[in-house]
Amino acid sequence: MLNPSFAALVKNSPILPVLHMESVEDAVNVSRALYKGGITCAEIVLRSPVALDCIKAVSEQVPEMTVGVGTLTTPQQVTDSVAAGAQFLVSPSFTKTLATAMINTGLPMLPGVVSPSEITQALELGITEVKFFPAAQYGGAKTIKALSTVFSQVKFCPTGGVSLNNMAEYFANDSIFAVGGSWMVPKDLIANKDWDAITLLSKQAIDAIKDLDKCA
């Protein structure tokens, strides 16, 4: 790996919440609630006008939480996100241009892939940790199992359709080092500002992973 290991970053809580935040205040409170439940990393996606502001606020006000950015699709977004305080980088797709921009930051990173060709392109750049997205639509755990027989050096973080109910199926494959999802941060709980409920869902997720012996 050219960059710090993403797997090492999430080793103690191998679950990556995907946060679509519409409010800076909510982003701070959600991050605190997640951390209280045992989740130490959170990905704020660039799907709202205040996403970069949310990353900046969480990095400053919740320093115990490792906050990163998701839905990166351009090199300029990479630059802007790092300036806002993002500590890791996640993209939903793969191009050499985008991946190179991510590599050049020196931060832990996860480019998105779904095909053997994309994985091969990642390997050509020295990348061995990837996001598999959208996981459910591209065959989920079965597809990753098939890919891992060919690309044994690659580690995957599936996102998209992963939940508490099917998490064990993914973690049964040793090539999967973490999963991403948003089930512990449902929109209704955010709207109702029910931070305690988000903490409980986070703890439930972490406890389930511990039962699978995936936490350090």
Side-chain angles (χ1 to χ4, degrees):
M1 285 293 294
L2 301 176
N3 292 53
S5 168
F6 206 104
L9 183 71
V10 298
K11 184 177 182 181
N12 292 323
S13 60
I15 182 167
L16 193 60
V18 178
L19 309 183
H20 181 172
M21 305 307 308
E22 300 286 352
S23 156
V24 171
E25 182 181 356
D26 286 351
V28 169
N29 285 315
V30 166
S31 297
R32 287 175 176 153
L34 291 169
Y35 190 83
K36 189 176 179 181
I39 294 176
T40 59
C41 296
E43 170 192 340
I44 295 179
V45 295
L46 297 180
R47 300 181 198 168
S48 81
V50 297
L52 291 175
D53 293 330
C54 290
I55 291 170
K56 185 175 188 296
V58 173
S59 67
E60 293 175 349
Q61 298 179 42
V62 197
E64 61 272 24
M65 172 65 78
T66 301
V67 62
V69 61
T71 323
L72 290 167
T73 57
T74 70
Q76 186 60 53
Q77 288 177 335
V78 173
T79 300
D80 294 343
S81 298
V82 173
Q87 295 166 275
F88 63 83
L89 312 170
V90 183
S91 67
S93 54
F94 188 93
T95 71
K96 184 176 180 179
T97 301
L98 179 60
T100 299
M102 294 167 71
I103 289 171
N104 288 342
T105 66
L107 294 174
M109 51 170 283
L110 279 184
V113 303
V114 291
S115 71
S117 295
E118 290 171 331
I119 294 172
T120 300
Q121 291 178 71
L123 289 172
E124 288 175 353
L125 293 177
I127 299 167
T128 57
E129 296 174 336
V130 294
K131 173 179 179 174
F132 186 77
F133 173 83
Q137 287 79 1
Y138 279 88
K142 291 182 179 178
T143 297
I144 295 175
K145 182 178 180 180
L147 290 169
S148 64
T149 61
V150 179
F151 301 102
S152 59
Q153 71 274 53
V154 176
K155 300 298 182 182
F156 297 88
C157 176
T159 305
V162 182
S163 68
L164 190 67
N165 294 329
N166 62 16
M167 199 165 55
E169 181 183 1
Y170 283 99
F171 278 125
N173 186 335
D174 288 338
S175 71
I176 293 174
F177 69 87
V179 297
S182 57
W183 75 87
M184 73 296 297
V185 284
K187 291 180 179 179
D188 62 323
L189 293 186
I190 295 173
N192 294 330
K193 303 190 185 303
D194 194 343
W195 315 130
D196 288 341
I198 291 174
T199 292
L200 287 175
L201 289 175
S202 301
K203 187 178 186 302
Q204 183 183 39
I206 289 295
D207 287 346
I209 294 172
K210 285 180 178 178
D211 288 342
L212 299 171
D213 294 325
K214 288 294 179 180
C215 279

